[in-house]
Amino acid sequence: TVRRYPELSNFTEVVKAAAARTRMVPHQLAGAMHRLHAERGPSFGGSFANKWLDKFLLNRIGSEMLMAQYLALATSTAHYEAGQVRSGGII
């Protein structure tokens, strides 16, 4: 039996909001890096941006993957409890 605790619903809403709120970050970050290079010159060019973005985006990919996995499981659990069981798997 799968039991869903009320606190989990609140947490799920927070995760959904966080995922939605940060959806445009990569686009905004690209613009910010372009502006930084334009305003501050070559010391904030490709080598700086690539190193910084590699670290930031790897962290972001990991965070998005964890949020997406949680939301997939939370949604799946909600369907299970509602009697709407569906088969599924990875990919």
Side-chain angles (χ1 to χ4, degrees):
T1 301
V2 176
R3 291 186 348 165
R4 190 171 169 87
Y5 296 96
E7 309 84 54
L8 193 56
S9 295
N10 294 336
F11 181 73
T12 300
E13 292 306 313
V14 169
V15 173
K16 284 180 184 178
R21 191 171 48 248
T22 61
R23 191 165 288 130
M24 291 300 295
V25 167
H27 178 73
Q28 294 168 334
L29 192 55
M33 284 296 173
H34 178 74
R35 183 175 174 189
L36 182 64
H37 176 63
E39 291 180 1
R40 303 249 178 125
S43 60
F44 291 95
S47 59
F48 166 80
N50 288 339
K51 185 177 177 181
W52 192 90
L53 286 170
D54 280 349
K55 290 179 184 177
F56 178 84
L57 292 174
L58 281 173
N59 183 349
R60 181 175 170 80
I61 289 168
S63 298
E64 283 190 358
M65 186 271 314
L66 288 172
M67 284 192 292
Q69 181 67 21
Y70 170 78
L71 290 172
L73 291 171
T75 302
S76 175
T77 301
H79 284 290
Y80 178 81
E81 289 175 344
Q84 303 168 349
V85 179
R86 56 189 170 141
S87 62
I90 298 176
I91 310 289

